[in-house]
Amino acid sequence: MSFVGPDQSPTTPQEHIDGVPDFGWRVPLDRPNPAKCNPFTTPRLKHIPSFVGLSLRYMTYWISKKRQGRKIFIDHLNPISHKPIYGCPIGGIGGGSIGRGYRGEFCRFHMVPGLYDYNVVDADQFTVCIRKNGVTVLQQVLASYKKTGKHLKSWDWNFPAANATYHALYPRAWTVYIIPEFNVKLVCRQVSPVYPHEYKESSLPAAVFVWTITNNSTDDLDISIMFSFKNGRGVKEDKEGGCWNEPFKCDSEGGDVSGVLIHQTFRDMDCTYALSAAQREGVSVSHLVSFDPQGTGSEVWLDLKEDGQLTSSTESSEKTLKGKEIAAAVCVQCHVAAGKLATAEFSLVWDMPVIHFSSRGQKYHRRYARWFGTDGTGAKQISSHAIGQYQAWESKIEEWQNPILSNRNLPAWYKSALFNELYFVSDGGTIWVDPVDGDSSTSFFKNDHALVKEYSKFLYLEGHEYRMFNTYDVHHYASFAFIQLWPKIQLSLQYDIAHSVMSEDSTRVKYYTSGHKGLLKTLHTVPHDVGDPEDEPWKRVNAYRIHETANWKDLNLKFVLQVYRDYHATQDKEFMENMYPKVKGVIETALKWDIDDDGIIDNSGFADQTFDAWTMSGASAYCGGMWLASLRMTIEMASMLGFKEDRDKYQVVLDKGRQSYETKLWNGRYYDYDSSTSGHHDSLMADQLAGQWFLRASGLQDDQVFPPDHVQSVLKTIYENNVMKYGNGNMGAINGTRPDGSRDTSSCQAEEFWVGVIYGLAASMIQEGLISEGFQTAWGAYHVCWEQYGLQFQTPEAYMTSKHYRSLGYMRPLCIWSMQWALERFQPQILQQIEGATVTQTRSVLVQEVNPEVPGTAESGVTRSEIQLEVTEQ
């Protein structure tokens, strides 16, 4: 295999494009499709016997859900297929989202709460019309994907892909179109209102598309951009009938807009789409209230072609009949003199203020409805607001991003990964809501903490395929993004988890690995998740039924770790005071897991932690380390709050436990996987220092609990065995290896690379001063997912060397923000701007001449790839 390092990154910008950032995920629209990948479905032969009972019981549950007309929380029989098409999604946080394809598609709809529809909707498009001397000389759909089917056949599809470039830097994206025959350049800038510490604008279900039209020819031209959109989500329900369109104008929120509303219902929840354009001096805005997206499309195509405008009407359409769909279009025409440019601004809004989950037990208002109403008439005002405010959004986005983008010490791929992985904050099945007052079930929420009432309740999926909300063992990793960028959301989520800790649900359910029945939720335990969108989240937690998670050894500990970390970040003592009784409750529960009273909790001989197919027995490096870190944090909290008896009690346990941890697990190079006699007990786990990582990240360092020389030895051994021996160091870190560096095949999960774990490991390395190793480790995960496997904007939980992946669109990769946390708090010199540093062009790659410690930057006269080769050879 030839060496591929950060400087050979095919998606790193290699030239400057006016109006587009120099950093982000950039590809030409004629980019060759990546190698075909497949979902992981076939374990090794030796693993199959352990799955037989689980599979039979799972099938029974799957069939029962099918008969109810609902989806199972993880549908292993229908995994999402590999589509390497995605780009930056649109929409704010918690109000629904729409996925975009980098070739121009609107293609992944999250409108029904917690459920996704994966369909390319061909009618949802931008089209350019160029007129010269009163004659239309070009009319072209601005998309380069291959349309199938006979609908819209009158439209001119397949824009020359070689003439366009896509660039994503979430929450914005740019597409640059070159039309050489008329010397015209079009740049579409897509903007969503997502930026840190903002709890109103970031909740809006809206996006703005700003078109910069440049006429580089010697002739004056009339150039029109048309935006068309249809009802629905690209599913058969789109044809149920009852949809209707309405033209509108609005300037109430600062932006003067006109366009068309599409009124519809999704599973008895009213939703209005609004597509509109800004009325500005020097542009002409027109619209077509309705056309048939199932037909040839000639009515709208010929209307535009006639004069570069649409035939506007003030009349609403009729309601659609069953079997029919409806679409609308908005057009902006600009007269662009030779050598000049013009701007056209469009907005897309979806107003769905009142929602419920599949059980229909409780209604909620989306957070944005606090400002734009709950009666379903807010789309016009949101459209006006979006056009009036998008420039302010962009100022805030740039104020946030520019210090990182302009820092020459940080590698280019990291800048792309850091911001683009945030797509999941809005496109992770995210729900941000207030319970509806007066609902018969609202009393369930009456004791919500004041912060929850102020900042609303928050949900997001473990993954697009793993439909469980706020899966806590995974959120543990992703939470670094929230506590840094939207800390009130993190605290709100924590208060909800704390409420569940203090509750019990005696409903007995079957768990499918063991076949045993147990309580749905046990007192003084952290729930695995807070529910299923196909049921009633918050009220019925623990949708996960593979294992009985009341006995999982990591969930309680991760609650303690996050509570202290969140206090450390916010200095909110009231939060800590509120949480401490819950912390003590889960610690007391965990103490019962110390079977031999040696101060270390014992795993139970099944996969009783986030690696839910990888068995641990007795003391384990992963859970044991988190237990020690949790005790240390509990002692700190007890001391601060004046609970001396608690402090002294837990100190005794910690002193005993740290000695046991070293005696039972330390082998001179790293901590053994566990203290059992299994064939993999001495495997090298990439995530074994998860406890030490969180402890130090939270401002606590206890060298007696985690000796620094041991920490250094562990991280260097992981780097040598789990990172550098796979893909020449360009695949990230494999979860488990044997002492000689060969892969651990005891479990399918041991052979996987977990993106979020890799980012967390990289953060741990950076905290401990292994900066080059940390960046190289993280680079591998980004390189595989975003470049080799075509999994951009759908980053999975896991991938394998065999081009398999598992669970697309996953929560844990948000953990990349733990790297930024580590840089800011432990390596501030990396973030300092060095006076006189310059960017030069070497081998057609933008080379940053600053820091040889970091793969992806370089010293003067040495390319980054050469530096990386030197690191590899050492």
Side-chain angles (χ1 to χ4, degrees):
M1 177 179 178
S2 60
F3 180 82
V4 178
D7 288 327
Q8 288 76 42
S9 165
T11 65
T12 293
Q14 298 187 10
E15 62 181 5
H16 176 73
I17 299 176
D18 288 341
V20 180
D22 287 334
F23 301 97
W25 187 80
R26 184 181 295 179
V27 293
L29 268 59
D30 62 350
R31 176 196 190 203
N33 282 329
K36 181 65 177 176
C37 298
N38 293 293
F40 174 74
T41 57
T42 308
R44 290 179 180 268
L45 187 62
K46 67 178 181 180
H47 298 154
I48 291 176
S50 65
F51 291 122
V52 171
L54 166 63
S55 299
L56 292 174
R57 289 182 283 269
Y58 172 87
M59 278 301 303
T60 301
Y61 190 49
W62 188 94
I63 292 169
S64 70
K65 285 290 185 180
K66 183 75 171 177
R67 287 173 177 169
Q68 296 171 19
R70 297 185 180 179
K71 296 179 179 179
I72 194 170
F73 64 96
I74 302 175
D75 191 348
H76 287 297
L77 301 185
N78 296 288
I80 299 172
S81 60
H82 181 238
K83 292 181 180 179
I85 67 172
Y86 293 109
C88 181
I90 58 174
I93 300 172
S97 60
I98 300 175
R100 296 294 315 279
Y102 70 85
R103 292 188 173 105
E105 305 94 330
F106 288 79
C107 52
R108 185 169 68 199
F109 290 76
H110 175 229
M111 293 292 158
V112 178
L115 303 175
Y116 275 84
D117 297 296
Y118 299 88
N119 301 290
V120 175
V121 180
D122 294 324
D124 300 351
Q125 275 303 338
F126 288 98
T127 297
V128 64
C129 174
I130 299 178
R131 292 174 59 80
K132 180 178 176 181
N133 298 324
V135 177
T136 297
V137 292
L138 181 140
Q139 190 161 294
Q140 175 80 62
V141 178
L142 292 169
S144 65
Y145 69 91
K146 185 177 181 180
K147 186 188 79 67
T148 59
K150 296 181 179 180
H151 58 285
L152 304 180
K153 65 180 182 180
S154 294
W155 296 13
D156 189 354
W157 293 88
N158 300 319
F159 183 91
N163 292 347
T165 301
Y166 179 83
H167 184 105
L169 188 67
Y170 183 83
R172 298 191 292 175
W174 294 255
T175 308
V176 181
Y177 303 88
I178 304 298
I179 304 175
E181 57 267 45
F182 298 102
N183 214 356
V184 167
K185 175 183 176 182
L186 307 174
V187 179
C188 177
R189 186 169 82 254
Q190 171 186 299
V191 185
S192 293
V194 179
Y195 50 92
H197 307 289
E198 171 51 51
Y199 300 94
K200 175 188 174 182
E201 301 295 315
S202 288
S203 73
L204 298 181
V208 173
F209 302 91
V210 185
W211 287 83
T212 302
I213 304 164
T214 304
N215 177 9
N216 291 315
S217 74
T218 57
D219 299 307
D220 293 353
L221 299 172
D222 293 308
I223 301 178
S224 303
I225 302 293
M226 180 180 74
F227 183 27
S228 56
F229 215 79
K230 85 168 194 70
N231 73 296
R233 313 170 329 262
V235 297
K236 64 180 181 181
E237 296 168 31
D238 297 356
K239 300 179 182 180
E240 288 183 347
C243 301
W244 60 285
N245 292 358
E246 174 190 6
F248 78 95
K249 293 185 177 182
C250 185
D251 62 1
S252 65
E253 296 289 330
D256 187 359
V257 299
S258 65
V260 182
L261 305 175
I262 303 175
H263 300 286
Q264 60 209 314
T265 299
F266 299 149
R267 300 192 183 181
D268 74 19
M269 293 172 282
D270 292 337
C271 179
T272 299
Y273 290 161
L275 57 155
S276 65
Q279 300 272 9
R280 306 286 192 194
E281 185 177 351
V283 305
S284 175
V285 178
S286 56
H287 66 261
L288 186 65
V289 172
S290 66
F291 69 92
D292 180 7
Q294 300 169 269
T296 65
S298 60
E299 65 268 48
V300 63
W301 192 260
L302 296 177
D303 189 3
L304 178 66
K305 192 170 186 178
E306 182 179 2
D307 58 3
Q309 301 185 55
L310 299 174
T311 305
S312 300
S313 169
T314 60
E315 300 294 324
S316 299
S317 73
E318 299 290 333
K319 288 188 176 181
T320 57
L321 301 175
K322 190 173 181 62
K324 293 295 184 179
E325 300 176 349
I326 192 170
V330 178
C331 177
V332 174
Q333 185 178 56
C334 311
H335 179 75
V336 191
K340 301 296 183 180
L341 58 82
T343 300
E345 302 149 298
F346 296 87
S347 71
L348 178 64
V349 166
W350 46 99
D351 181 28
M352 192 177 181
V354 183
I355 63 169
H356 57 71
F357 298 100
S358 294
S359 70
R360 292 174 166 81
Q362 166 76 46
K363 290 184 178 179
Y364 300 88
H365 291 156
R366 294 198 193 266
R367 179 169 174 82
Y368 76 85
R370 291 185 176 197
W371 300 279
F372 293 96
T374 61
D375 62 359
T377 63
K380 293 182 286 186
Q381 287 72 34
I382 300 172
S383 299
S384 172
H385 184 88
I387 290 297
Q389 293 297 314
Y390 82 83
Q391 291 179 340
W393 300 347
E394 291 195 280
S395 293
K396 292 292 186 180
I397 292 168
E398 290 169 1
E399 180 183 334
W400 161 43
Q401 293 184 340
N402 281 349
I404 294 171
L405 298 181
S406 63
N407 190 301
R408 298 184 177 94
N409 293 340
L410 297 173
W413 67 264
Y414 173 75
K415 298 172 183 179
S416 172
L418 186 69
F419 292 114
N420 283 325
E421 290 287 15
L422 279 175
Y423 85 94
F424 199 79
V425 171
S426 65
D427 195 22
T430 313
I431 309 292
W432 201 4
V433 291
D434 300 307
V436 174
D437 290 336
D439 188 283
S440 61
S441 303
T442 307
S443 59
F444 181 85
F445 303 109
K446 67 181 180 180
N447 294 323
D448 278 348
H449 190 273
L451 183 141
V452 178
K453 293 177 180 178
E454 181 178 357
Y455 290 98
S456 305
K457 300 176 79 67
F458 184 82
L459 298 170
Y460 70 136
L461 294 173
E462 178 179 336
H464 292 177
E465 297 188 90
Y466 285 20
R467 287 181 293 272
M468 296 159 283
F469 282 126
N470 296 358
T471 300
Y472 200 72
D473 58 300
V474 184
H475 171 74
H476 180 71
Y477 296 80
S479 64
F480 277 97
F482 290 98
I483 196 59
Q484 290 177 88
L485 304 177
W486 296 277
K488 302 301 184 184
I489 289 179
Q490 169 66 6
L491 296 187
S492 175
L493 187 154
Q494 288 282 68
Y495 279 116
D496 278 340
I497 292 293
H499 178 269
S500 183
V501 165
M502 304 303 287
S503 66
E504 182 164 290
D505 188 333
S506 59
T507 304
R508 295 187 67 78
V509 297
K510 180 180 285 187
Y511 294 100
Y512 294 101
T513 296
S514 67
H516 297 152
K517 286 190 173 182
L519 298 186
L520 179 61
K521 170 65 178 65
T522 303
L523 181 66
H524 290 151
T525 62
V526 173
H528 172 274
D529 57 83
V530 300
D532 181 351
E534 290 276 50
D535 190 17
E536 196 61 57
W538 288 303
K539 296 184 180 182
R540 284 187 288 277
V541 302
N542 286 336
Y544 179 85
R545 302 290 169 79
I546 304 299
H547 299 289
E548 185 176 8
T549 57
N551 292 317
W552 271 23
K553 305 307 182 293
D554 62 337
L555 285 168
N556 284 11
L557 314 181
K558 288 174 175 176
F559 178 70
V560 178
L561 297 176
Q562 284 187 62
V563 165
Y564 188 82
R565 189 275 318 272
D566 294 347
Y567 163 74
H568 174 64
T570 64
Q571 294 297 298
D572 185 343
K573 192 171 183 180
E574 191 272 335
F575 168 75
M576 184 169 66
E577 290 171 344
N578 185 287
M579 291 291 157
Y580 184 77
K582 292 85 172 178
V583 165
K584 183 176 178 181
V586 300
I587 286 289
E588 289 295 322
T589 296
L591 273 171
K592 300 173 185 177
W593 300 329
D594 181 6
I595 304 302
D596 53 3
D597 193 32
D598 66 346
I600 287 287
I601 61 172
D602 295 287
N603 291 92
S604 302
F606 72 97
D608 54 355
Q609 28 68 42
T610 195
F611 297 88
D612 59 353
W614 200 2
T615 299
M616 294 179 183
S617 298
S620 67
Y622 182 68
C623 294
M626 283 193 288
W627 168 245
L628 297 178
S630 297
L631 285 171
R632 181 64 183 82
M633 289 181 172
T634 305
I635 292 165
E636 193 73 15
M637 286 186 274
S639 297
M640 295 174 67
L641 297 174
F643 295 108
K644 184 177 184 301
E645 289 185 8
D646 291 350
R647 181 198 66 191
D648 293 345
K649 173 184 176 179
Y650 298 135
Q651 186 65 56
V652 171
V653 179
L654 177 61
D655 290 342
K656 184 165 51 174
R658 63 181 175 81
Q659 293 179 20
S660 298
Y661 191 68
E662 294 294 320
T663 300
K664 288 188 171 184
L665 297 172
W666 181 249
N667 65 20
R669 296 174 62 213
Y670 59 88
Y671 294 99
D672 284 344
Y673 180 75
D674 65 25
S675 62
S676 71
T677 58
S678 71
H680 65 279
H681 79 277
D682 56 350
S683 286
L684 173 60
M685 186 187 196
D687 207 17
Q688 65 178 265
L689 288 181
Q692 187 273 343
W693 161 51
F694 235 85
L695 184 70
R696 192 164 186 213
S698 303
L700 294 175
Q701 181 170 350
D702 192 324
D703 294 348
Q704 290 185 319
V705 178
F706 296 104
D709 60 329
H710 289 191
V711 171
Q712 286 284 319
S713 177
V714 168
L715 293 175
K716 290 178 180 178
T717 305
I718 290 171
Y719 186 71
E720 176 186 345
N721 280 17
N722 298 49
V723 177
M724 296 309 295
K725 291 185 178 180
Y726 294 87
N728 201 14
N730 294 286
M731 284 200 74
I734 195 169
N735 279 340
T737 60
R738 302 295 297 132
D740 63 357
S742 61
R743 68 184 68 204
D744 178 348
T745 64
S746 64
S747 162
C748 53
Q749 289 182 344
E751 298 185 68
E752 292 179 330
F753 297 72
W754 286 15
V755 181
V757 167
I758 292 168
Y759 289 150
L761 172 62
S764 184
M765 291 175 171
I766 290 169
Q767 284 181 180
E768 301 304 326
L770 301 175
I771 300 170
S772 176
E773 291 87 344
F775 275 104
Q776 181 67 31
T777 298
W779 146 256
Y782 176 79
H783 174 58
V784 169
C785 293
W786 289 72
E787 298 183 337
Q788 285 193 320
Y789 286 10
L791 299 174
Q792 71 281 349
F793 295 103
Q794 53 181 329
T795 316
E797 158 75 313
Y799 56 87
M800 305 177 79
T801 56
S802 57
K803 290 189 172 64
H804 287 92
Y805 59 82
R806 184 170 56 78
S807 187
L808 290 177
Y810 203 71
M811 177 192 288
R812 206 182 318 249
L814 285 171
C815 189
I816 192 169
W817 278 85
S818 68
M819 294 179 64
Q820 189 65 17
W821 175 285
L823 287 167
E824 292 176 2
R825 287 161 176 78
F826 296 92
Q827 307 298 341
Q829 77 282 359
I830 296 294
L831 300 182
Q832 293 173 357
Q833 299 292 337
I834 297 180
E835 186 176 353
T838 59
V839 178
T840 61
Q841 188 79 18
T842 302
R843 298 184 186 176
S844 300
V845 178
L846 285 173
V847 174
Q848 304 171 53
E849 300 179 338
V850 180
N851 199 324
E853 277 190 305
V854 182
T857 67
E859 289 182 325
S860 179
V862 185
T863 66
R864 290 175 292 186
S865 54
E866 288 169 346
I867 285 178
Q868 189 54 55
L869 276 169
E870 292 170 8
V871 171
T872 300
E873 290 167 359
Q874 291 174 355

